[in-house]
Amino acid sequence: MDEDSFWTLMEGSQQQAGDPDQRLEALREQLMQRPLAEIVQFQSCLHRVRRRIDTWEMWAAAEQIHGGGCSDDSFWYFQFWVVGLGRELYEKAVADPDSLAEAPELRRLAGRPLKTWSDGEWPDWESLDYVAGEAFDMLTGEEEGLEKALEAEGLDNPCNPEPSGEAWDVRNVDEACRRLPRLSRMFPLTG
């Protein structure tokens, strides 16, 4: 599965349903209609795509949006959420994490207290990392079969962020305002 096919599947699920759980169901069904090798390739592609936004700048964006409390796990789930926005917004975010300020999903959250965000609105999508494994297991009846298939192919299936780029204190309010001016205005942090 190449990256174009990956994005076709991702965006197809987005067009079929807006709710994250419904999108996962649509994606799972699509994957289950494909050969096992393509499910393995989907997972590998998901992590190649995710890796491009595993940066300190993107972690700072997540930190800003999450109100200054973005853990390792939260950043990991945030990365899958960015992938779930679709190719166009994702590519803009790769080039400039501050461009996430253009995402309608975030614009709806700006100015609202975090405690009012529903589960479906939170900018995280942990379950996207599991959908290929679920499809693989359902087809084969083998628990953790995708993990074994990835390993057999010599493919990496990471489970934690390892940000690239210049490391900096993503909780430094002044630096975040300088590097992410739009997100800082939408989701202001205090020092």
Side-chain angles (χ1 to χ4, degrees):
M1 176 175 294
D2 63 12
E3 200 167 304
D4 289 333
S5 299
F6 169 83
W7 284 113
T8 298
L9 280 173
M10 289 299 300
E11 291 173 345
S13 74
Q14 194 174 28
Q15 292 168 357
Q16 289 179 344
D19 174 81
D21 291 335
Q22 292 172 341
R23 283 187 67 192
L24 285 172
E25 184 60 36
L27 195 52
R28 189 179 305 105
E29 288 176 20
Q30 289 281 328
L31 287 169
M32 290 179 67
Q33 295 174 20
R34 295 174 176 265
L36 292 176
E38 285 190 34
I39 298 173
V40 173
Q41 292 165 1
F42 174 89
Q43 184 71 8
S44 180
C45 190
L46 173 63
H47 282 288
R48 279 194 315 274
V49 168
R50 183 211 52 81
R51 183 70 185 124
R52 291 181 61 207
I53 55 174
D54 191 4
T55 66
W56 286 102
E57 291 289 317
M58 190 62 71
W59 197 328
E63 184 73 23
Q64 199 71 38
I65 294 162
H66 285 110
C70 186
S71 67
D72 290 8
D73 287 347
S74 295
F75 180 47
W76 184 255
Y77 308 150
F78 176 80
Q79 291 175 47
F80 293 113
W81 177 82
V82 172
V83 171
L85 292 174
R87 193 175 203 168
E88 183 179 341
L89 286 172
Y90 163 85
E91 291 293 348
K92 286 181 180 181
V94 167
D96 176 18
D98 200 36
S99 71
L100 288 171
E102 299 168 17
E105 294 85 349
L106 286 182
R107 297 181 74 71
R108 286 191 290 271
L109 299 175
R112 291 176 42 203
L114 276 67
K115 64 183 176 194
T116 67
W117 298 1
S118 72
D119 288 345
E121 290 178 309
W122 265 94
D124 67 25
W125 201 15
E126 176 184 6
S127 300
L128 179 58
D129 194 23
Y130 310 133
V131 71
E134 292 167 359
F136 194 96
D137 291 355
M138 290 171 83
L139 287 171
T140 64
E142 181 182 350
E143 195 171 310
E144 297 184 22
L146 180 63
E147 290 288 328
K148 294 172 188 169
L150 286 162
E151 189 176 300
E153 293 290 324
L155 298 172
D156 190 28
N157 194 32
C159 60
N160 291 303
E162 295 179 12
S164 62
E166 174 192 350
W168 58 284
D169 180 3
V170 297
R171 292 187 170 128
N172 179 311
V173 174
D174 293 334
E175 189 64 15
C177 285
R178 185 182 74 74
R179 294 181 186 227
L180 304 164
R182 294 184 289 172
L183 287 173
S184 294
R185 283 191 298 277
M186 287 174 72
F187 303 96
L189 298 177
T190 57

